[in-house]
Amino acid sequence: QVPRGSIAVEPQCRLSRRHALDEGLSMKALRSIRLLALVFAGSIAIIAVAVVVLFSLDFSRYREPLEARLTRTLGRPVTLGGPIRVVPALWPTLAVNQVAIANAPWAAVPHLADADRLSVELAWLPLLRGRVSISHVRLLGGRLHLEVRDDGVTNWPLPQRAELGTVQVPESLPHIEVRDSEVDYRDARSGIVTRLSISRAELEADPDRAATLNFLGTLHEQPLSITATGGRWAELANGEIPWPLEISVTSADTRLV
């Protein structure tokens, strides 16, 4: 109880201190929000500039040098029939139509492999640092023609394969997606003709997560589904420890695990 004639000032002081504390916290929160807004606006501005630059570049001028580089690497003529263009998307994407790899001269069809459309998705952060990192590859309308001649010679070995050195498993792969594609296998010795149709196939091989493969299509016009889960892709690239792999195959009424 406050004595008669005195003034109660302590509650007011407490209220003043609390008010000042609230104002201080509000100012800190406001500064944090402003900083976040500036960082966000700056990031958007950088990405916007990158998008403008990306769309303004004429990638078609790189088509012939890229064809020449791929031809030297594979030892087979490689053609890019359409222009290389930027596809409007959330992630920077380059696409080209009518990609083809020439077949062996004696083969029944002119192309070992060809596709209606090939697109690659680039990761933003490496691109902003001046590096190209492919995060996603999509192949649409692909065709792979495998053939065995009467004398047992096959059409798929690359002429310069020996010059490419030892083939090593890469430490990581981009997300690979194949849709509406076909694989043909013809053996002139036995007369066997096999056709595999691919409705959808996806491979994810992140170095730090389990690798997965999902396939949906047909084999000899019979439905075929394949699901595979392996260990971490980095372990396969390392090659020093056994790599676990589980496969489930379903065809018509048959299921193998």
Side-chain angles (χ1 to χ4, degrees):
Q1 183 176 0
V2 180
R4 182 177 296 178
S6 62
I7 301 174
V9 297
E10 185 176 352
Q12 292 181 356
C13 291
R14 290 179 179 175
L15 290 174
S16 297
R17 286 196 297 269
R18 181 176 297 176
H19 182 66
L21 182 60
D22 291 342
E23 284 188 347
L25 291 175
S26 299
M27 291 298 294
K28 289 181 179 179
L30 184 59
R31 285 196 294 268
S32 298
I33 292 174
R34 287 177 178 173
L35 180 60
L36 289 174
L38 288 174
V39 172
F40 180 75
S43 301
I44 293 298
I46 292 174
I47 292 175
V49 170
V51 169
V52 171
V53 172
L54 196 63
F55 274 85
S56 64
L57 292 176
D58 181 16
F59 286 95
S60 295
R61 65 178 180 174
Y62 299 111
R63 187 178 66 181
E64 292 185 3
L66 183 57
E67 286 179 336
R69 175 68 179 273
L70 292 173
T71 297
R72 288 195 304 270
T73 300
L74 298 178
R76 296 271 183 93
V78 177
T79 57
L80 306 177
I84 302 174
R85 58 189 184 87
V86 181
V87 178
L90 181 62
W91 303 100
T93 302
L94 301 177
V96 60
N97 296 336
Q98 306 304 322
V99 181
I101 302 173
N103 213 340
W106 54 266
V109 295
H111 298 140
L112 170 64
D114 62 286
D116 295 335
R117 180 183 176 90
L118 175 66
S119 63
V120 293
E121 188 177 283
L122 308 179
W124 267 119
L125 289 179
L127 191 63
L128 295 176
R129 296 170 184 163
R131 295 188 297 106
V132 175
S133 176
I134 298 175
S135 59
H136 202 131
V137 176
R138 293 183 179 88
L139 183 73
L140 179 65
R143 290 163 292 274
L144 177 62
H145 305 283
L146 305 178
E147 190 173 348
V148 182
R149 207 166 57 181
D150 290 332
D151 56 2
V153 175
T154 60
N155 71 326
W156 54 84
L158 300 177
Q160 295 183 0
R161 182 177 57 178
E163 299 180 13
L164 297 178
T166 303
V167 177
Q168 297 181 345
V169 178
E171 294 183 357
S172 65
L173 289 176
H175 184 168
I176 300 175
E177 180 180 353
V178 179
R179 292 183 181 271
D180 302 330
S181 300
E182 294 181 347
V183 178
D184 289 336
Y185 174 82
R186 299 174 182 272
D187 191 335
R189 299 170 301 177
S190 62
I192 293 176
V193 177
T194 303
R195 171 166 293 181
L196 177 70
S197 295
I198 305 171
S199 298
R200 175 180 56 83
E202 293 189 52
L203 172 65
E204 293 191 61
D206 189 283
D208 298 319
R209 291 187 296 179
T212 59
L213 170 67
N214 293 288
F215 174 94
L216 185 63
T218 61
L219 178 63
H220 295 302
E221 300 183 354
Q222 294 296 319
L224 177 64
S225 174
I226 301 174
T227 301
T229 303
R232 294 188 302 114
W233 190 261
E235 295 173 348
L236 179 62
N238 190 346
E240 296 180 356
I241 59 176
W243 198 64
L245 180 62
E246 296 181 0
I247 302 177
S248 175
V249 180
T250 303
S251 179
D253 297 330
T254 303
R255 186 170 186 267
L256 301 175
V257 179

